[in-house]
Amino acid sequence: MSTITRRIARRPELGSLAGVVVVAAFFLAVAPPMRSGDALATVLYASSTMGIMAVAVGLLMIGNEFDLSAGVAVTTAALTATTLAYNLWLNVWVGALLAAVLAVAIGAWNGFLVTRTGIPSFLISLATFLMLQGLNLAVTKLVSGQVATPSIADMEGFDSARAVFGSTIPVFGVEVRITVLWWLLIVAAASVLLDSTRWGNWIYASGGDERAARAVGVPVKRVKIALFMGVGAAAWVVGMHNLFTFDSIQAGQGVGNELLYIIAAVIGGCSMTGGRGTVVGTALGALIFGITSQGIVYAGWNPDWFTFFLGGMLLIAVIANTIAAKRQREARS
């Protein structure tokens, strides 16, 4: 076996890529409508909205932390932007930028509490999740008198914001959502960060052995706070897409999505114990999610089968990651 072949065989994304091939081949066989260009665009759209968040959550998991508030943070960002713009008669871009500040601040708050208190991020972010969920519903009802926000489609800046966050791009005669482009750009940027920069080494070191990382001068606290802020930034991007695509936001949206982001990252090869994973693998995990969720629809099956497939893929991914980590430890010893 050549050196190049051995390197490829050792890539953690290989299992995720094999999963994409198997799942895609299965649904292409059982769901003929899925073979069209429009169906492919739908799969990529479902994968992109999941994948944008999964990349940020995956990086955080490589740093050995979790964010259970990621799902409702998406809704919080969208609600903040539309509520401020509508009630203060702001240009919607101003509302969106203020929402970005809040979304990143929520991430910084989670990171600050985790690094300063030593309380597991699972508990800190669970508390944030509950607070945001309550605020989303309570403030929206207080301000608008209902659980959905009013339309802002006639407000200044809406059309340009929709072009950036909610438009479609023609590709070979097929309309593809702009979130697919956002997803690809974020995957590319995050891959460079993780694989080719000092920050990437710091992320792996912080997640693999925090004590050893501190000993060699890695600013672990700063790295982890930055990773939580990255989740907040990703939540803002997806929140703006939801707002400028659908115009109105339901205050109860997003609950449960945090688990889907974590599942996509795990399926993509991210370790539950930190220090292992890749951005490309996480993107492939999101693609598996998109293929499965839409494949079941195109096959005409009961949607309840989706959770079964998702659970099965998660189980296989966890077992595979555990075996890979064990072999990695044995190779080092």
Side-chain angles (χ1 to χ4, degrees), residues 82-174:
T82 187
T83 299
L84 290 176
Y86 183 84
N87 289 281
L88 300 180
W89 281 99
L90 303 172
N91 184 298
V92 296
W93 277 106
V94 176
L97 293 175
L98 292 174
V101 173
L102 177 63
V104 173
I106 291 170
W109 171 252
N110 282 335
F112 174 80
L113 288 179
V114 168
T115 55
R116 288 304 178 96
T117 65
I119 298 173
S121 55
F122 175 88
L123 295 175
I124 293 291
S125 60
L126 177 60
T128 304
F129 159 79
L130 294 172
M131 289 189 290
L132 290 180
Q133 183 184 10
L135 281 172
N136 288 348
L137 289 165
V139 174
T140 304
K141 287 180 180 179
L142 179 65
V143 173
S144 67
Q146 53 188 357
V147 295
T149 59
S151 172
I152 59 171
D154 59 343
M155 296 187 67
E156 185 181 0
F158 184 87
D159 290 337
S160 59
R162 170 169 277 185
V164 172
F165 295 105
S167 61
T168 58
I169 305 170
V171 179
F172 300 116
V174 177

Side-chain angles (χ1 to χ4, degrees), residues 52-79:
I52 290 170
M53 287 302 300
V55 166
V57 169
L59 287 174
L60 184 63
M61 289 175 64
I62 294 171
N64 199 23
E65 303 294 349
F66 296 90
D67 190 347
L68 296 183
S69 66
V72 292
V74 171
T75 304
T76 300
L79 288 172

Side-chain angles (χ1 to χ4, degrees), residues 268-302:
C270 291
S271 172
M272 298 289 288
T273 55
R276 190 170 181 275
T278 66
V279 173
V280 173
T282 302
L284 291 172
L287 183 56
I288 290 174
F289 170 90
I291 294 171
T292 304
S293 62
Q294 299 306 308
I296 287 173
V297 173
Y298 284 114
W301 296 352
N302 188 315

Side-chain angles (χ1 to χ4, degrees), residues 5 14 46 51 56 67 109 113 119 133 167 172 180 182 204 223 226-227 234 241 244 260 264 270 282 310 317 327 333:
T5 305
L14 195 60
D67 190 347
W109 171 252
L113 288 179
I119 298 173
Q133 183 184 10
S167 61
F172 300 116
V180 177
W182 276 104
Y204 278 119
V223 169
L227 291 174
H241 164 69
F244 294 113
L260 297 180
C270 291
T282 302
L310 200 61
R327 288 178 177 175
S333 59

